[in-house]
Amino acid sequence: VARARVAVERVAVGRVAVERTLRCASLRSRTTCETAQMRRAFAGDPSAQRACAIAALDVTRANGSSTVTRCYAEYPMKYLTPKRGIDGDCDCAWAYAVNMGGGLVSGDASGTTIRVDDGCALVLATQGTQKVYKHNKRRWDECEKADEGVGRSGVGETTSALYASVGDGGLLALLPDPTQLFSGAVFRQTQTIDIHENGSCVCVDWITAGRVGYGNERWAFERADVRTRVMANDDPVVIEATRLEASSRDSLHANVSLALRMGAVNVFASLIIVGSRVQDLAKSCGDWACASATRHMAQGGASWVRASPDALTQTDPRSTLFVTASDLPLPYPGVVLRFFAADSESVLDVLRKLLAPLASQLGAPPYDERGGS
């Protein structure tokens, strides 16, 4: 009997070892596949590939709920992964991206690769604004001399990249704080979200004018190039791109600064909502945007945009935000909202209001999970 028990225990231990080996092999296979997909998404962009290799997040189903099963980050990136949101019964994992260096400097590459498994949900948020500091002109020139034949747009710039894959019935919510570009900064951000035909995503992306209160340092950076792509079955669903440059390519405005061209706008933001899990949210946001635009057009539209920033102190605060909406064609229901605002608080209040229905799926109200701070 004792020998039989020992034999049974050995068989059990062997079975556990085999299962562990198979899980490790499966993880390595998925990781290799994700790396190949990421490299294909950023083909010809080594800076983005290098940035996405800095950190990784995997969300899979463990013990019946969405769980962060892989969390890897290199300095200066770090991820905080609380066990649950405010509603502990909600099936959604949360992660907060933290930059231990306090911001990005010239030549930095920061990013992550994310995988959300079938039926899982993930919220990726931040603990504060992403700061992009002044561009190092000397480093820029030295890099150009060393890399002849490489375009100026790809040398010495600060790069942020993200690649995410969302499985069948999965949901990814990217809810960062705004990016703040300091005077002289050169910044490029590229994001690719590859969703299953039944997957969903909510993506917020916004840029502020900089340190407006610091000697009126408005739109004083050299360049900001921000691009977000949402793909489904290798077909583009959304390609949202914004490029702001200190020097205008238009000969009529060649000598007009970016601050003057932006008028009274201090914040530009976009909200992308795609997928069946957020179909009702997309409709409600689209309806709100249409109603808001109609109301503003009856009151002079976005005429305040061309006004002097100092003149806005005498206007109705509700007139200092303008929104446009673009519905996405079937079979991928969704909407893209674009905000132009005089201050980030106005955009934050609107995002809290529009995304509040997501609390039932995420376990906490977006941008209000920290007590409304």
Side-chain angles (χ1 to χ4, degrees):
V1 173
R3 291 178 179 175
R5 288 178 179 176
V6 170
V8 170
E9 290 176 357
R10 288 178 177 175
V11 170
V13 170
R15 184 180 302 165
V16 170
V18 170
E19 291 177 353
R20 184 179 301 169
T21 302
L22 291 176
R23 284 198 301 268
C24 292
S26 177
L27 177 60
R28 285 194 297 269
S29 176
R30 289 198 302 266
T31 302
T32 303
C33 182
E34 291 164 13
T35 302
Q37 291 174 346
M38 180 270 290
R39 290 179 176 173
R40 184 178 59 181
F42 298 127
D45 191 349
S47 296
Q49 294 179 9
R50 187 174 75 253
C52 287
I54 290 177
L57 278 173
D58 281 3
V59 175
T60 58
R61 189 159 299 280
N63 297 324
S65 61
S66 300
T67 305
V68 177
T69 53
R70 182 172 69 141
C71 181
Y72 167 80
E74 297 178 4
Y75 184 85
M77 290 294 296
K78 182 179 180 180
Y79 283 110
L80 305 178
T81 54
K83 292 183 178 180
R84 288 290 147 204
I86 296 175
D87 182 3
D89 296 329
C90 190
D91 184 20
C92 181
W94 282 70
Y96 288 87
V98 180
N99 190 311
M100 304 300 290
L104 302 176
V105 299
S106 178
D108 274 359
S110 176
T112 187
T113 300
I114 298 174
R115 181 173 67 89
V116 180
D117 217 344
D118 296 347
C120 297
L122 169 67
V123 177
L124 180 59
T126 57
Q127 287 195 317
T129 59
Q130 176 177 246
K131 296 177 175 60
V132 182
Y133 295 109
K134 182 178 180 179
H135 174 68
N136 189 330
K137 183 67 167 58
R138 180 179 178 183
R139 182 175 179 180
W140 175 286
D141 294 336
E142 290 176 351
C143 288
E144 279 197 320
K145 292 178 181 179
D147 297 287
E148 294 183 1
V150 179
R152 185 180 180 89
S153 62
V155 179
E157 63 190 357
T158 302
T159 304
S160 177
L162 178 143
Y163 175 79
S165 62
V166 182
D168 187 0
L171 172 61
L172 172 64
L174 301 177
L175 306 175
D177 290 281
T179 298
Q180 182 182 35
L181 280 72
F182 283 43
S183 175
V186 177
F187 177 65
R188 182 171 67 92
Q189 175 179 285
T190 176
Q191 300 182 124
T192 296
I193 305 172
D194 196 350
I195 64 174
H196 186 274
E197 59 183 7
N198 294 322
S200 305
C201 74
V202 176
C203 178
V204 176
D205 192 18
W206 44 335
I207 295 177
T208 66
R211 297 182 296 178
V212 178
Y214 183 75
N216 198 28
E217 188 180 290
R218 298 181 63 253
W219 304 111
F221 51 82
E222 287 293 324
R223 188 181 73 242
D225 191 350
V226 179
R227 179 182 295 265
T228 298
R229 294 187 305 169
V230 179
M231 310 287 291
N233 295 329
D234 293 330
D235 294 327
V237 179
V238 177
I239 299 178
E240 181 71 7
T242 302
R243 186 182 179 94
L244 301 173
E245 290 185 288
S247 58
S248 174
R249 299 184 179 185
D250 184 357
S251 59
L252 295 176
H253 302 90
N255 298 322
V256 181
S257 68
L258 179 60
L260 289 177
R261 298 201 306 271
M262 294 299 290
V265 174
N266 286 323
V267 181
F268 175 76
S270 64
L271 170 61
I272 300 174
I273 304 174
V274 184
S276 56
R277 287 186 60 169
V278 290
Q279 185 172 1
D280 293 339
L281 177 67
K283 185 179 185 306
S284 64
C285 289
D287 292 343
W288 175 89
C290 292
S292 176
T294 302
R295 184 174 64 255
H296 280 87
M297 291 302 295
Q299 299 174 355
S303 58
W304 63 270
V305 171
R306 304 306 305 170
S308 169
D310 298 332
L312 293 181
T313 56
Q314 305 297 326
T315 62
D316 184 350
R318 291 176 297 178
S319 67
T320 58
L321 184 143
F322 193 79
V323 60
T324 65
S326 301
D327 292 328
L328 300 180
L330 295 175
Y332 305 107
V335 68
V336 179
L337 271 61
R338 303 172 188 89
F339 304 89
F340 307 88
D343 58 82
S344 57
E345 288 78 11
S346 300
V347 179
L348 186 59
D349 290 342
V350 169
L351 289 176
R352 284 171 175 163
K353 175 183 177 181
L354 295 179
L355 299 180
L358 273 179
S360 60
Q361 297 193 60
L362 305 183
Y367 291 105
D368 210 21
E369 80 282 359
R370 288 169 281 182
S373 59

